[in-house]
Amino acid sequence: MPLILQPGTTLIAATHNPGKARELVALLDGRFEIIAAGALGLPEPDETETTFTGNALLKARHAALLSGRIAIADDSGLSVAALDGSPGIFSARWAGPTKDFAAAMAKVEERLIETGSDDRSAWFTSALAVAWPDGPAVVVEGRVDGQLVFPGRGDRGFGYDPIFVPDGYSQTFGEMDPARKDALSHRARAFDKLKAALF
Ligand code: ITT
């Protein structure tokens, strides 16, 4: 049987990150009933996998198993070319337990200065996984390329948005209208693939 997501299905959004939850709701809006994992009191699993897709599947499966409903999860991060792809899957962890993204962005800048490289290219990746409580799951990945700028600009996004300018634009993700970010982001590109696979 092919995996299909019927419109109107209730989906658990398996994220505890409010910025991400907002973007997932914007992408899924109107098609599905969304319940946030946090609202159900579901605990956050440890992200023990070594890839974005592995961690997205782990989070979706965990929420589907605990809730008994279909769950969608995103694992994402910023990869910096001159840092060999760091922080990558460790993007959230670079901000520490207090989720201090000013400190995480300062760390990216420091590490870049240490390399002596003037290459500021970077990309965001989003892996989106949908898991059914009885086992099947689908995972896809989207990416957006751009350049890092320091100091960061804008307070409209979350995480590393202030230091990322997507290719072809002059505003950072932090300055951009959220609807524009939602049309071209790594998460939107992953979502397009999910639509092709499941809708
Ligand atoms: P959940 O696991 O509960 O979803 P999290 O914040 O821990 O929340 P991740 O492990 O996937 O999520 O970490 C990804 C980090 O990468 C996230 O905390 C952001 O700081 C950063 N990130 C991902 N997408 C981003 C975006 O669109 N804009 C800015 N930063 C982003």
Side-chain angles (χ1 to χ4, degrees):
M1 268 257 295
L3 292 171
I4 299 278
L5 271 181
Q6 299 290 354
T9 305
T10 298
L11 289 182
I12 307 301
T15 177
H16 290 76
N17 177 325
K20 238 192 225 184
R22 188 204 63 72
E23 291 186 10
L24 283 178
V25 167
L27 290 168
L28 297 164
D29 196 29
R31 274 177 221 266
F32 304 103
E33 297 293 321
I34 311 296
I35 304 178
L40 288 183
L42 297 183
E44 276 187 74
D46 286 336
E47 297 183 17
T48 50
E49 294 292 331
T50 55
T51 59
F52 291 113
T53 52
N55 280 325
L57 279 168
L58 177 153
K59 288 189 269 192
R61 287 192 166 125
H62 174 83
L65 207 67
L66 291 181
S67 66
R69 290 181 181 274
I70 304 172
I72 183 166
D74 163 293
D75 197 64
S76 46
L78 177 74
S79 298
V80 181
L83 301 181
D84 299 324
S86 288
I89 64 161
F90 300 105
S91 294
R93 282 165 266 188
W94 274 32
T98 61
K99 307 194 180 190
D100 182 350
F101 282 96
M105 290 186 282
K107 186 165 163 180
V108 170
E109 185 178 18
E110 271 162 37
R111 294 281 171 92
L112 268 171
I113 291 168
E114 278 164 22
T115 66
S117 168
D118 56 11
D119 181 2
R120 294 290 177 267
S121 37
W123 63 95
F124 274 118
T125 304
S126 162
L128 285 179
V130 176
W132 277 255
D134 55 340
V138 169
V139 65
V140 294
E141 211 172 75
R143 162 175 170 162
V144 61
D145 286 87
Q147 296 290 317
L148 298 181
V149 289
F150 299 97
R153 306 192 307 255
D155 58 7
R156 301 182 80 170
F158 67 96
Y160 297 88
D161 278 341
I163 58 170
F164 186 82
V165 179
D167 286 346
Y169 294 82
S170 54
Q171 288 185 314
T172 67
F173 269 170
E175 294 173 307
M176 237 176 224
D177 186 315
R180 178 172 284 179
K181 180 187 172 192
D182 289 347
L184 65 95
S185 75
H186 47 311
R187 199 158 286 113
R189 290 178 182 176
F191 189 67
D192 284 343
K193 293 190 188 169
L194 203 59
K195 273 198 279 196
L198 290 178
F199 295 6

